[in-house]
Amino acid sequence: MNHYETVFILNPVLSESQIKETVQKFNDYLVSKGAEMISKEDWGLKKLAYPIQKKKSGFYHLFEYKVAGEAIANFELEFRRDDSVMRYLTVKLDKHAAAWAEKRRGRVQSAKK
């Protein structure tokens, strides 16, 4: 199992319930492929660096997980098929990036307290 991080941006015109359904759909897909979810973060509505599909903002989400490498191609195919996803990026984390991600999670959790 490899360690991955995926950031995806959802269309800002979606309702809160549609966003939750979409995020849950991608979470369920990964779990059905045997993924171990490490972290899920909702970064909320953020301004984009440049317009995408004539939208200037989007809802950002981050998944950090471990899954077999064969699952990633089909996972990204699901992003391409879903019209509510404006952009996505999946990165395989090496041991240094995984350590940095763990530190970042710690800082985020301590900031929430």
Side-chain angles (χ1 to χ4, degrees):
M1 299 237 293
N2 297 320
H3 195 156
Y4 293 96
E5 193 173 81
T6 299
V7 174
F8 55 99
I9 306 170
L10 298 177
N11 195 324
V13 300
L14 297 175
S15 69
E16 191 170 325
S17 63
Q18 289 172 317
I19 291 170
K20 286 181 181 177
E21 288 173 17
T22 305
V23 171
Q24 188 63 43
K25 179 180 92 173
F26 292 122
N27 180 67
D28 292 346
Y29 181 84
L30 281 174
V31 171
S32 74
K33 299 299 180 191
E36 174 191 342
M37 294 300 286
I38 296 171
S39 171
K40 292 185 289 186
E41 294 178 24
D42 176 3
W43 293 349
L45 184 66
K46 292 188 174 281
K47 184 178 177 185
L48 302 173
Y50 55 88
I52 300 172
Q53 299 169 359
K54 298 183 181 179
K55 308 284 188 302
K56 294 182 179 179
S57 61
F59 289 100
Y60 282 67
H61 290 271
L62 172 104
F63 284 174
E64 185 180 342
Y65 52 94
K66 291 182 178 178
V67 71
E70 301 82 36
I72 294 301
N74 287 333
F75 184 52
E76 290 187 339
L77 181 62
E78 293 295 319
F79 280 122
R80 287 193 292 273
R81 287 180 176 161
D82 195 324
D83 290 336
S84 60
V85 177
M86 295 168 50
R87 288 287 191 271
Y88 63 89
L89 178 66
T90 299
V91 177
K92 181 179 174 183
L93 302 179
D94 63 8
K95 66 179 183 181
H96 302 292
W100 183 86
E102 188 174 332
K103 282 184 184 177
R104 186 186 52 78
R105 280 196 313 273
R107 284 194 309 256
V108 168
Q109 289 176 352
S110 65
K112 287 182 180 179
K113 291 180 183 178

